[in-house]
Amino acid sequence: RAKELGGRRVEVFAAHMHADVVRRLELAADLQRALLDNQFAIEYQPVVDLATSRVTAVEALVRWWRGSVFIPPDQFLGAAEATGLIVPLSEWILREACREVAAWRASSWDIGLSLNLSARQITAPHFVETVEQALAESGLPASALTLEVIEEMLVEDAEETISRLSELRSLGVRLAIDDFGTGYASLAFLRQLPVDMIKIDPSFVSGLGRDDTLTLLTRTIVRLGHDLGLIVVAEGIERPEQLELLREMGCTRGQGFLVARPMAARGVDSLMRTSLQSII
Ligand code: C2E
Ligand code: MG
Ligand code: MG
Ligand code: MG
């Protein structure tokens, strides 16, 4: 009887795995089609300077509308990375976002662009040249581009990643550590990295004013970042109290639904025209 139950469990498990594999294969095929059919779009989330409330940059965030169904990045980026489709997808985002931000800058709006990088994209052949080309084609100055990576990409066997990013940095491109505080980069290691900016993870920012430990940790990260000469960006600002505390801590920049939600390019267009770029 025990054997029978065990056997059934194995069968159930196998069926479950099978469904999982099929789903993943379907997702991979869908992604490929989506890329050919131009189903991807870019939204831009404004980042403000907390001292002046002005928009200093926008972060490009990929969007996938499969028909009328929205699929969040967290649900397809893994598959895109695994299949390698992340490379052409990221190249498209890079070119398109550089072009759009260069156009806003041409209307004498001094904003920068932040882009999220994937591990596979950085180690793909010609990554550095691809970025240089996108800058040259769009006319976006290297200093207006910030590339965001997460700590995991910079620790463990990350020599190639760090050397490519350093190469870009020597061209004037800025580098940011995204989701800062959630990974394993030690402070000593951080000091050696060719980094200009840290983005404090929302898991810290969410507790501001509500949780003493998270408030203290946020304050410590802001101070640490400044002591290392870095720009410090707080992510996931949703409540006025968080904004107030971050300003009081002297955090450089802020981003979050309270400041502005990610928006399509024409949203940024009207932001530029109507609100004089000062939105909070
Ligand atoms: P991320 O780079 O940390 O981006 C911030 C995420 O937080 C975005 O989610 C944004 O919509 C969301 N967000 C911003 N403000 C708030 C807020 O106040 N509250 C809450 N709850 N969320 C907020 P999104 O667009 O779903 O992207 C998720 C992640 O997917 C990104 O995290 C990034 O790691 C990745 N990603 C997005 N676009 C790209 C891309 O073009 N290329 C690559 N490689 N990764 C991307
Ligand atoms: Mg990011
Ligand atoms: Mg983040
Ligand atoms: Mg993230």
Side-chain angles (χ1 to χ4, degrees):
R1 175 152 168 83
K3 205 172 177 186
E4 201 179 294
L5 272 179
R8 200 171 298 151
R9 209 174 294 138
V10 167
E11 247 169 60
V12 169
F13 180 62
H16 176 77
M17 269 200 7
H18 179 71
D20 214 54
V21 168
V22 169
R23 246 196 315 277
R24 262 186 307 190
L25 286 174
E26 279 172 1
L27 181 59
D30 279 1
L31 276 170
Q32 186 121 45
R33 257 193 310 274
L35 201 57
L36 295 170
D37 293 352
N38 302 314
Q39 288 174 19
F40 292 103
I42 302 173
E43 283 191 341
Y44 297 93
Q45 186 176 32
V47 181
V48 294
D49 181 307
L50 289 177
T52 65
S53 294
R54 294 206 158 247
V55 177
T56 56
V58 287
E59 177 176 3
L61 297 163
V62 67
R63 297 293 176 246
W64 181 16
W65 283 93
R66 194 171 54 187
S68 57
V69 181
F70 173 70
I71 304 165
D74 289 337
Q75 278 176 37
F76 67 84
L77 285 174
E81 183 93 13
T83 55
L85 283 170
I86 192 77
V87 175
L89 175 61
S90 303
E91 246 176 66
W92 174 77
I93 296 165
L94 168 73
R95 281 167 201 279
E96 183 74 2
C98 284
R99 192 180 60 72
E100 289 192 305
V101 172
W104 290 315
R105 291 177 60 91
S107 320
S108 45
W109 185 14
D110 183 23
I111 57 161
L113 167 64
S114 256
L115 278 179
N116 294 289
L117 298 185
S118 90
R120 190 139 175 191
Q121 177 186 12
I122 305 172
T123 50
H126 314 301
F127 168 66
V128 174
E129 292 81 355
T130 306
V131 174
E132 284 187 84
Q133 240 174 48
L135 291 172
E137 277 168 22
S138 62
L140 188 74
S143 61
L145 178 64
T146 299
L147 300 176
E148 300 186 3
V149 296
I150 55 170
E151 284 165 70
E152 284 80 343
M153 298 180 194
L154 302 174
V155 293
E156 282 181 41
D157 303 325
E159 264 171 62
E160 192 181 0
T161 298
I162 294 177
S163 99
R164 287 182 172 204
L165 292 173
S166 304
E167 222 178 300
L168 282 168
R169 190 164 182 260
S170 64
L171 298 171
V173 172
R174 324 260 176 200
L175 298 183
I177 300 184
D178 203 356
D179 303 350
F180 184 82
T182 59
Y184 301 97
S186 72
L187 301 185
F189 182 64
L190 182 68
R191 263 183 47 129
Q192 303 163 15
L193 291 174
V195 161
D196 304 278
M197 187 187 295
I198 51 178
K199 300 188 76 170
I200 308 175
D201 193 73
S203 56
F204 297 93
V205 177
S206 65
L208 279 176
R210 286 185 176 170
D211 179 305
D212 288 346
T213 306
L214 290 172
T215 306
L216 177 67
L217 282 171
T218 306
R219 191 182 294 281
T220 306
I221 296 173
V222 172
R223 192 172 304 145
L224 162 82
H226 285 164
D227 286 350
L228 293 174
L230 304 173
I231 293 173
V232 183
V233 185
E235 278 197 284
I237 305 172
E238 294 182 346
R239 293 176 280 115
E241 177 193 20
Q242 296 168 305
L243 188 62
E244 228 167 86
L245 278 165
L246 288 162
R247 281 189 159 134
E248 181 249 305
M249 291 173 187
C251 185
T252 331
R253 297 180 187 172
Q255 187 178 352
F257 292 169
L258 178 71
V259 177
R261 292 201 171 243
M263 54 184 89
R266 56 176 186 286
V268 185
D269 275 332
S270 45
L271 182 74
M272 174 174 70
R273 283 197 222 94
T274 59
S275 65
L276 301 166
Q277 304 129 40
S278 170
I279 54 180
I280 46 168

